[in-house]
Amino acid sequence: MQHQNIVFHALLKQIPWSTVDRLVEEHCADDGDARRLKSKPHLIAMLYAQFCGLRSLRQIETNLQSHASKLYHLGGCMVSKSALATANRERPVEVFGGLLSALMAQLQAGYRRKIRDCVRLIDSTSVQLSSLSGRWATFSAGVFGAKAHIIYDPDADQPLYLMVTAANVNDITAAKEMPIERGATYVFDLGYYDYGWWAMLDQAGCRIVTRLKANTPFEIVEHQSVAPGSSILSDRTGHLPKRLAASRKNPMSGLVREVQVMIETGKVLRIFTNDLTASAQEIADLYKRRWAIELFFRWVKQTLRINHFLGTSENAVRVQIVIALIAFLLLRLAHEAYKNIVQSPLAFARMIQATLMERRSIAELLQTPARPKREPRQTIFEFDASASRAARRRSASRACAPIKNAA
């Protein structure tokens, strides 16, 4: 019989293993004790946990044992919970972070656009941790957590950058360490309210779309006309305050723009931009696109495993979040290749989860598997003469029964 790989194998084929080998060598990730869990089976075990939604190291150990015969062709192996805990705590997260960057670039390669058309959404999401992580992730008294800071491409539906910090790190502090693409459009919310950082984006030729606080003064220079009856209430150009606290000069002192928009709830938003030429509706629509990153966070938290952590150390938490995003990108790459099977990414992820260890190709997952042909039943021969006569009498009596009942 022809060998058929399992569904999990098709997902892992998208990983550039040569890149993984280079990263392992670069960070000396497999040096030390020969009995230590290697990077490849470590990655495979953690991806398996993400795809199957496993909540503990014991579950991972037991599930991998139940599929021991299928692990050889994956490059994986059975893993004890103690070995996996040690690997999560000690293996350099840069190995998996480098792989995540490589997969992001691989997926982004199919979305070549002019830089000016590139939209980048910036936001963060918090995850709650136990008190055992309090040594590095204390937010306030009795509250412990971490933050995943993301740059997201809504057109490609994928993250472009990840930074994991403790929950008490301010969003703007993390944003100042993020790479800036010259000429791109950056959309973000009030968590990134910093005139100095805005000025850095402006000097890099980036278009900024964000919100102004309700009490921010705005010196009006010119009013632009707006369409009557639309959600756009006003469109004005002007200047932000010239001076900040402690008499510091505002670095964002050039001519800018404020567009006031009324949303469905009746709330009025003051949308700020340094783009003086685009229409007010285009600016409002750009800010509305920020909702895409909120949907991404919800999808990841509902589908993958970043709400319940397998370790308490900073390295273990970082490893689990990074591998969760690797799992997301593997699903996206597979969905791109088999989009004709299932249109919805969520439905595709659930289908993969249900059939992960089956020996079938992804293209055949929605087809009903062919039933094996039944072997013909062997004829039963009765060689005893009396038995043959008794069988004939029983058959004759059954045939006469309906006639007697009718009479």
Side-chain angles (χ1 to χ4, degrees), residues 396-407:
S397 64
R398 283 195 296 269
C400 295
I403 300 174
K404 292 180 179 179
N405 293 336

Side-chain angles (χ1 to χ4, degrees), residues 2-198:
Q2 185 179 3
H3 174 75
Q4 176 63 58
N5 287 318
I6 60 177
V7 173
F8 194 16
H9 184 272
L11 293 176
L12 295 178
K13 280 175 63 176
Q14 300 169 107
I15 295 178
W17 291 110
S18 59
T19 301
V20 175
D21 294 338
R22 177 180 59 78
L23 290 166
V24 168
E25 184 176 354
E26 180 180 333
H27 296 284
C28 303
D30 285 351
D31 292 354
D33 190 349
R35 296 171 297 177
R36 185 182 180 190
L37 181 64
K38 300 300 182 183
S39 296
K40 185 174 182 178
H42 180 198
L43 174 62
I44 290 172
M46 292 296 289
L47 284 173
Y48 178 82
Q50 287 292 338
F51 290 132
C52 295
L54 305 182
R55 294 176 58 88
S56 70
L57 297 171
R58 176 68 73 186
Q59 278 187 311
I60 299 174
E61 178 184 19
T62 304
N63 276 259
L64 290 177
Q65 285 177 352
S66 68
H67 297 293
S69 61
K70 300 176 182 178
L71 295 177
Y72 173 78
H73 293 287
L74 297 178
C77 63
M78 291 187 293
V79 177
S80 69
K81 66 184 186 69
S82 60
L84 190 55
T86 302
N88 285 339
R89 184 176 63 251
E90 297 179 357
R91 175 153 288 121
V93 70
E94 290 79 11
V95 174
F96 304 124
L99 173 59
L100 177 62
S101 298
L103 289 173
M104 287 176 178
Q106 182 178 334
L107 192 55
Q108 188 71 9
Y111 293 89
R112 296 296 183 191
R113 299 179 298 275
K114 294 180 180 179
I115 289 294
R116 190 63 184 176
D117 297 331
C118 292
V119 178
R120 303 292 183 247
L121 310 181
I122 302 179
D123 206 349
S124 68
T125 185
S126 298
V127 291
Q128 188 172 356
L129 301 175
S130 72
S131 59
L132 297 175
S133 300
R135 184 176 57 83
W136 67 275
T138 300
F139 177 71
S140 60
V143 180
F144 311 93
K147 270 185 182 178
H149 305 267
I150 298 284
I151 299 178
Y152 183 77
D153 183 346
D155 296 309
D157 186 23
Q158 67 159 106
L160 300 176
Y161 176 83
L162 168 69
M163 177 189 294
V164 180
T165 66
N168 59 1
V169 174
N170 198 293
D171 287 348
I172 188 61
T173 302
K176 289 179 180 179
E177 298 183 25
M178 292 178 177
I180 296 176
E181 292 182 63
R182 299 185 66 86
T185 297
Y186 283 89
V187 184
F188 44 88
D189 207 354
L190 289 172
Y192 302 88
Y193 206 90
D194 185 283
Y195 294 152
W197 186 62
W198 295 3

Side-chain angles (χ1 to χ4, degrees), residues 342-360:
V342 180
Q343 293 294 324
S344 166
L346 181 58
F348 181 80
R350 288 172 176 168
M351 181 180 68
I352 292 294
Q353 181 178 3
T355 59
L356 188 66
M357 302 304 284
E358 290 189 15
R359 293 192 183 277
R360 297 168 66 184

Side-chain angles (χ1 to χ4, degrees), residues 211-285:
R211 280 174 61 189
L212 290 177
K213 294 179 180 178
N215 60 352
T216 301
F218 190 77
E219 182 185 339
I220 301 170
V221 173
E222 184 181 2
H223 286 270
Q224 306 291 335
S225 60
V226 297
S230 70
S231 60
I232 308 296
L233 303 181
S234 67
D235 181 8
R236 307 179 292 187
T237 55
H239 298 278
L240 292 171
K242 301 294 183 184
R243 293 285 176 180
L244 303 176
S247 299
R248 291 181 295 114
K249 184 178 179 181
N250 185 354
M252 195 70 184
S253 57
L255 191 65
V256 291
R257 187 175 176 189
E258 179 206 55
V259 177
Q260 292 194 8
V261 182
M262 179 178 289
I263 60 177
E264 291 82 356
T265 61
K267 182 179 179 180
V268 177
L269 304 181
R270 301 177 67 192
I271 300 178
F272 168 87
T273 182
N274 60 344
D275 187 344
L276 305 179
T277 59
S279 68
Q281 189 61 55
E282 181 182 345
I283 299 302
D285 290 342

Side-chain angles (χ1 to χ4, degrees), residues 326-346:
I326 291 174
F328 171 82
L329 292 179
L330 292 178
L331 288 172
R332 288 284 290 108
L333 286 166
H335 187 233
E336 284 294 317
Y338 298 99
K339 191 174 286 186
N340 58 325
I341 302 175
V342 180
Q343 293 294 324
S344 166
L346 181 58

